[in-house]
Every structure is written in C-alpha cells, then in structure tokens.
Amino acid sequence: MAVKSPPIRIRPAPVVGLSLVLVSTTALTSPAVADDAQQQVPVPDVEGPIPGAPPGDPGADDIEQTYPFFATDVDLDEYGYVEEEFFISGTANQYEGGEVASEHPYKTRVVVRRPAEQADSNGDVLMEWQNVSAGYDIDALWSPSPDHIMRSGYTWVGVSAQDVGVSQLTEWSPTRYGDLDVTDGGTVENDQLSYDVFSQAAQAVRTNENDVMGGVEVDQVLAIGASQSAGRMTVYYDDILDHIEPVFDGYGYMVGNAPQNTDRPEPVFQVLSETDAARTANPREDSDNFRLWEVAGTAHSGWAGYSARESIENREFDEREEYNCAKPPFSRAPLEQPLNASYDHLSEWASEGTPPPTAERITRTSEGELARDDDGHAQGGIRLSQVEVPTALNTGINSPADADSFFCVLFGSHEPYDEDQLAELYPTKGSYLWQVIRAERQNVRDGYVVRADSKENRREALKSDIGR
C-alpha cells in the first residue's frame, strides 16, 4: 500500500463577507435568450474523468495512484451515485466595472456526484461554488446534506473557481493538480477569472461536454454558494450577469450575502443562520423573485458539516484544526434541514414559477439586536423542533477564547440542559414526543422541513431518554 506524503498544513484564510444540470446535446438551451449585447459563454475544454480514487497517495508520481482532494466518504453506492473529477480549461475574462478588460487562459477542476442512471435523476444540477475560507476547497453545502441531495436525485457539482483553493490543490498533489491555474501565471489577482470559470463550468454541464454527466440529462442548473462563496456569487449576479448570457436557472445564497436588487427573471433564495441574522440589522423584504429565510438557533457553520468533514480532513491532513471557544461550540440545530427544503423550493420556483413559502424573520429589538427569551433562545424566525422543543440551548453566537480560534464566531453554541431542567420541561416521554411531533407537523406544513428530515427528527426523539 502506498504511504501518504506528509500533509501540507494550510493556515485558515480570513473569512470573507461576514458582516460579519444538463440539457441533451440535441436541445441545448440557456435559461433565457441572450440579447446581442450579451456575450456568449463558451463551452470549456474538458478532460476526464481523471483516474484515481481513495485510498491513495497525493504525492505519488502516477496519477492513477492519487485521488480527488476531499473525495466524499459517503456511501454513494447506497443511492446509486458515482463521483468523478474533470479538468476544465479555456479562456476567461477579467472584468472592470462589468466590462471585459482582458482575456486569460485558465485550467481548474470540477467534481461531479451524480446518479449513475438516468432513472434516478430529478433533472437538476446543484452547482456549488467551492468555499475556500479555510484555505482549501470545502464542499460546504454537500457535506451536511448528502442524503437529501441523493435521495432527491440531484446532481451535485463542485467548482474550484478561486486561487486559494486551486493553489492548495497544486501543492497537495503536484502530479494530479500541478498544471491547474486560475491566475494566468500570477498576472491576474483577486480571483477576477472566477466568474467566467463558474459560468463555463455550467456550460460544460449543460452541453455534457466530454460526457461530464455520463449521459444523464439535466433540465436546469442551480447555482449555490455558502458564506464567502455566496459573496462571490453576489458580485457575479450584480456586476457580471448583465453582460453575459445567463447559464443558471436559479440562485441559492446560503449563510452569506445576496443581491439587493433582484430584477432578473431567475429566482433568488437566501437562507441565513442565526449567526448571520445577528449581523443583518435590516433584512431585505421578500419579492416576486426573492425569498429570505432566517433560522433561529442555527450557526453559520454548525455541527452537521463539522462532524461530516472530520474523517475527510483527517485523511487529507492527518489531523484537523482545534478551536478554543468561549462557549461550547457548534449549534446542533440542523440548519441543513431548511437548506434541503430550499433546494426543492428553488427547483420548483425555477421550473414551474411556484414561489417558496415566506417565513417570519428572527425578532429584533429597537436597537437592532436579536430578541431572546428568558432562556436565551432567539425569538421568531423558522423554529425547528430542536429549538421549539429544546433539550439544549442552541444559538448562533460564540466568540474565540484565544487569538488562534477566530472561526469560533461562526460555530454558534450548544449547552445541553441538565437532568433537572429536562425533567421539569418534559415530565413524561409522551409530553416530550407530542411537542416534537406538533413542531414537526407545523414545519412540514409550512414547507420549512422536508418529510424525510422530519421523520428522522421524530425517530431521534423516540430513541432519546427524554421524559423517562
């Protein structure tokens, strides 16, 4: 067995912006017809699928002995899914004021997780702008939600659009990624090529260039991004889209910025955790093509994603970053559940024109702070059963206890109730279960939680010792 090369340690990059899919080749279309002033988005050259799968050695000289960085460890076979990696290359524009300033060559990677068979596909691609806040590519929206993505038949595509992620890839496995570059040899700064890279990745999927989708047809491509990636997508929407043909059918901005003027026909969905809502004094009103949900008790980066990535980070780096937070970190309120519902709503909104349900915003005081009850829970907002029927205080608020733990501000907090508190709240098992069931029924009726997630919440409540 090959021995892994010593891991390359990447110091976390600053968090940005925390103010804190395929039509058949015979019927290629875009979401809307571009007018004469809009530039056509070219189809990139595609190479792959690139050989290699874990376990392997990133430092091997033979590419077949390497494997895709952050390859999932989820059991894809259970859902009839496959994971493949491709390289895309071409010419991307550098923009100034939305206008093309210069053209530059690039080469990067996309990771595709898709149904192996057409019959298991729902026709939608969730194309995620990979998040690089940690100093390397993270599939921030896949990692907490693979079960929903696969049971629903989505194809997930991760795009390495930014230099931080691509440069780390070239160091992590020079054999596999050594010739990737999104800076034209360092001549283009500030990820100015990232917007065209993202657009061209969508074109590769829509055209099924080099069989990227393995013959699985796609009806629409939905762009999604979390946190820093949502910020990049906001620039893309505000400054780039007016000048290029549209290649996405809808946009999901998760735990991050979103466009303020959504006057385009494609729907825009923004979902904010309590962490993000606390830094948004005047949340935007809903409109015909914009929807905002705020989810009480949830964190910008919560427990589900952190725990899901543990084994992968240990595999890639032999260890993972440790944090010293002022409060016990990582809210357990499952933000991924409203995110799952939002994907389904965005899909229907883009294809059928059916808008998602509106949601009450988290309550704010006259000073703009989040209003809390006597126990410390945020008031208002979407209220998951884990918040409405609490067995712990879950919030979106935390802070670092030392200078090396800045990311604690993203993790929220989780403080379990002691036995006396639980006994007072839920004297019998039945009283606890009834409250959970009532909260779950309401969230399913309101469209904030899908039935499969609600069923799992009820199962967990039944298995617990609460009320016994």
Side-chain angles (χ1 to χ4, degrees):
M1 178 180 295
V3 178
K4 279 193 174 184
S5 302
I8 298 170
R9 298 300 300 152
I10 306 295
R11 293 297 299 166
V15 176
V16 178
L18 181 71
S19 43
L20 195 139
V21 144
L22 184 95
V23 294
S24 69
T25 56
T26 58
L28 175 61
T29 60
S30 290
V33 177
D35 61 34
D36 292 340
Q38 291 177 311
Q39 294 195 6
Q40 298 294 307
V41 175
V43 179
D45 295 327
V46 178
E47 176 187 353
I50 309 303
D57 176 15
D61 293 331
D62 183 349
I63 196 170
E64 294 189 5
Q65 295 179 14
T66 67
Y67 61 89
F69 178 76
F70 247 60
T72 186
D73 61 355
V74 174
D75 185 0
L76 300 179
D77 289 340
E78 179 183 354
Y79 290 92
Y81 267 61
V82 297
E83 176 182 72
E84 294 177 328
E85 184 179 56
F86 297 84
F87 296 154
I88 64 172
S89 59
T91 300
N93 295 324
Q94 182 175 7
Y95 295 90
E96 290 182 5
E99 302 293 338
V100 176
S102 54
E103 299 178 347
H104 303 268
Y106 78 89
K107 183 176 182 180
T108 191
R109 70 154 189 169
V110 296
V111 178
V112 179
R113 297 168 187 153
R114 61 168 175 82
E117 302 294 337
Q118 171 68 36
D120 295 324
S121 172
N122 70 0
D124 284 0
V125 169
L126 299 175
M127 180 164 283
E128 180 171 354
W129 187 308
Q130 296 272 51
N131 186 286
V132 297
S133 292
Y136 48 86
D137 281 346
I138 290 179
D139 45 15
L141 295 175
W142 161 274
S143 52
S145 299
D147 288 342
H148 177 76
I149 290 172
M150 292 189 292
R151 73 189 175 215
S152 303
Y154 292 107
T155 289
W156 177 91
V157 176
V159 181
S160 297
Q162 293 180 248
D163 180 44
V164 168
V166 172
S167 292
Q168 186 271 338
L169 290 173
T170 64
E171 296 179 22
W172 183 78
S173 181
T175 299
R176 191 175 188 88
Y177 301 122
D179 61 348
L180 303 190
D181 178 30
V182 291
T183 68
D184 192 4
T187 62
V188 180
E189 299 179 342
N190 300 321
D191 291 319
Q192 287 298 306
L193 304 184
S194 61
Y195 311 111
D196 271 12
V197 168
F198 197 53
S199 293
Q200 291 182 31
Q203 286 289 63
V205 169
R206 299 188 78 90
T207 60
N208 199 15
E209 181 72 10
N210 206 42
D211 207 26
V212 169
M213 290 293 295
V216 174
E217 296 182 0
V218 170
D219 300 318
Q220 52 186 7
V221 185
L222 307 174
I224 59 173
S227 186
Q228 179 264 344
S229 300
R232 302 296 305 188
M233 280 176 48
T234 299
V235 176
Y236 177 82
Y237 187 99
D238 288 341
D239 296 341
I240 308 300
L241 277 182
D242 284 344
H243 304 278
I244 64 172
E245 79 176 292
V247 293
F248 294 105
D249 300 271
Y251 299 87
Y253 296 83
M254 310 307 178
V255 297
N257 295 339
Q260 292 301 300
N261 297 308
T262 52
D263 54 0
R264 298 182 55 82
E266 303 90 4
V268 172
F269 208 141
Q270 183 182 24
V271 180
L272 296 181
S273 70
E274 182 184 309
T275 312
D276 312 295
R279 292 165 171 81
T280 309
N282 298 300
R284 185 185 162 193
E285 295 296 324
D286 292 335
S287 68
D288 290 343
N289 61 350
F290 175 80
R291 193 66 82 242
L292 168 60
W293 285 358
E294 295 180 339
V295 189
T298 60
H300 181 94
S301 181
W303 175 252
Y306 178 77
S307 58
R309 290 188 292 267
E310 180 175 12
S311 60
I312 296 176
E313 290 178 348
N314 285 334
R315 181 189 70 198
E316 312 304 33
F317 304 124
D318 289 344
E319 59 179 326
R320 72 187 320 202
E321 200 81 21
E322 298 294 333
Y323 302 97
N324 183 18
C325 303
K327 296 180 179 180
F330 298 108
S331 170
R332 267 60 163 185
L335 178 64
E336 67 275 9
Q337 293 185 2
L339 290 176
N340 291 343
S342 78
Y343 304 145
D344 295 353
H345 287 305
L346 182 60
S347 170
E348 186 175 3
W349 199 4
S351 62
E352 305 294 336
T354 305
T358 59
E360 178 186 354
R361 305 296 169 76
I362 296 178
T363 306
R364 291 161 171 83
T365 67
S366 58
E367 291 78 25
E369 302 292 329
L370 299 191
R372 299 187 180 277
D373 63 22
D374 292 340
D375 294 325
H377 299 281
Q379 297 180 322
I382 291 176
R383 307 191 67 76
L384 303 171
S385 65
Q386 294 84 353
V387 173
E388 188 68 9
V389 191
T391 60
L393 174 58
N394 286 296
T395 79
I397 308 303
N398 212 326
S399 60
D402 61 49
D404 293 328
S405 298
F406 169 77
F407 278 5
C408 287
V409 300
L410 306 179
F411 299 156
S413 62
H414 174 76
E415 300 175 82
Y417 291 167
D418 61 31
E419 292 185 2
D420 290 340
Q421 289 174 292
L422 292 173
E424 182 178 354
L425 286 170
Y426 314 111
T428 67
K429 184 74 171 181
S431 64
Y432 171 62
L433 288 177
W434 168 241
Q435 292 182 64
V436 170
I437 291 170
R438 182 174 58 184
E440 289 297 329
R441 285 176 175 171
Q442 188 63 52
N443 281 328
V444 170
R445 280 197 298 265
D446 290 340
Y448 305 146
V449 176
V450 302
R451 293 186 181 278
D453 286 339
S454 179
K455 183 178 180 180
E456 181 60 28
N457 290 338
R458 299 180 201 203
R459 184 182 298 114
E460 289 298 318
L462 183 62
K463 287 166 38 181
S464 76
D465 292 329
I466 307 299
R468 290 179 178 170

